[in-house]
Amino acid sequence: MASTPPATVSLDVDGAIARIIIDNVARANALNRSMLDGLAGHLDTAARRADVSVIILSGAGPNFCAGLDISEIAERPVARIEEEFVRVEEILAGCPKPTIAAIRGHCVGGGAQLAVACDLRITSEQASFAITPAKLGLIYPASSIDRLVRIIGPAATKRLIFTADAITASTALHYGLVTDVVDEEELDAAARRIAATIATRAPTTIAAAKQMTDEAAVNGRVTDELHRRWQSAPNPDLGVGLAAFAARAKPVFGAATNDPRKVFNASDIA
């Protein structure tokens, strides 16, 4: 009998696009502890690489991610497992570069948490989504509920968590949980097409828009201080864009470096 391939999380960089792949096909890409560590490490690597502008998160095989490996929940303290998962979820949500979840098949439990932590969610027509702590007696993390409520509102959040029922891609689109629904065979190409378009745009504009949008989602508005910080930060992209516009040419912006793509910390603007 053939042995089961090891469960891994891999990173592949092609041009300006990094793809992180969750690979535990035999268990619908459920995540164990070592996979969580691998995901955190790859996110850090992709965020630091100057040649990477956009990150796509996807699952190997027919599914996105079935959440945490339930066997580990039975073997280890639940609070510790939740803490480790939320740490990785927050790393993903706080990534300074645009993130896209490319979702096919099952996107369940912790898999849905990871998808919701991405900036954009693109799904195949056959995908399904479920948030299932009520089936296990688990308490859904506060940060995950906050993020979900900001995206789909309190009523839809309660509907998903109270029932733990799966919803279709079309219902997810209706809720605002996903941004695009495409044919199954088009999913990878569609995610890459959107990522490639983002990679051609001004990295300073994108970094600023991402941070200010996230702040507005949390606090209801963008603070004047954060806006001023971005307005006064070095912005070589502006000269490139204006020159290209004047020449009626396509702008070619520089690599996505940490400067000027600086994300201001809360302590910077306190």
Side-chain angles (χ1 to χ4, degrees), residues 3-42:
S3 61
T4 302
T8 62
V9 178
S10 62
L11 171 65
D12 176 68
V13 177
D14 183 6
I17 301 171
R19 187 180 178 202
I20 297 176
I21 304 169
I22 302 168
D23 190 347
N24 188 8
V25 174
R27 299 182 66 85
N29 295 329
L31 291 153
N32 57 36
R33 187 179 185 182
S34 65
M35 294 173 72
L36 283 175
D37 289 341
L39 177 55
H42 289 319

Side-chain angles (χ1 to χ4, degrees), residues 36-257:
L36 283 175
D37 289 341
L39 177 55
H42 289 319
L43 285 168
D44 181 68
T45 297
R48 291 176 182 276
R49 285 186 57 157
D51 57 334
V52 169
S53 297
V54 188
I55 300 168
I56 298 174
L57 179 65
S58 61
N63 296 299
F64 179 72
C65 178
L68 283 169
D69 187 333
I70 299 299
S71 65
E72 292 206 348
I73 294 178
E75 295 172 357
R76 302 174 60 230
V78 170
R80 179 59 178 163
I81 295 170
E82 178 184 300
E83 179 183 320
E84 292 170 356
F85 192 93
V86 169
R87 177 183 67 86
V88 177
E89 182 186 355
E90 292 300 313
I91 290 172
L92 177 57
C95 180
K97 296 179 181 179
T99 54
I100 301 172
I103 303 161
R104 58 166 44 89
H106 297 306
C107 180
V108 179
Q113 286 175 249
L114 293 178
V116 169
C118 290
D119 295 310
L120 304 177
R121 286 158 293 282
I122 302 170
T123 179
S124 72
E125 292 176 332
Q126 290 74 38
S128 63
F129 302 79
I131 298 176
T132 56
K135 289 185 175 181
L136 299 170
L138 298 172
I139 304 301
Y140 205 54
S143 59
S144 303
I145 288 183
D146 284 344
R147 191 170 293 115
L148 193 59
V149 169
R150 291 196 298 268
I151 293 171
I152 65 175
T157 296
K158 291 175 182 177
R159 170 72 167 79
L160 289 176
I161 297 176
F162 288 2
T163 67
D165 286 342
I167 61 171
T168 64
S170 60
T171 300
L173 183 65
H174 175 70
Y175 283 178
L177 183 60
V178 301
T179 54
D180 301 81
V181 178
V182 299
D183 292 339
E184 176 78 18
E185 61 273 14
E186 289 294 317
L187 177 63
D188 292 333
R192 184 167 184 83
R193 184 165 57 250
I194 293 173
T197 297
I198 293 171
T200 67
R201 305 310 189 202
T204 306
T205 300
I206 291 170
K210 173 165 178 166
Q211 189 175 20
M212 288 193 286
T213 300
D214 288 345
E215 178 168 316
V218 172
N219 300 321
R221 61 182 291 272
V222 179
T223 64
D224 294 338
E225 181 63 22
L226 179 60
H227 183 247
R228 283 195 296 269
R229 284 293 186 105
W230 277 110
Q231 289 283 20
S232 61
N235 184 5
D237 295 339
L238 181 59
V240 173
L242 291 176
F245 180 82
R248 297 184 179 182
K250 289 184 178 180
V252 180
F253 297 106
T257 63

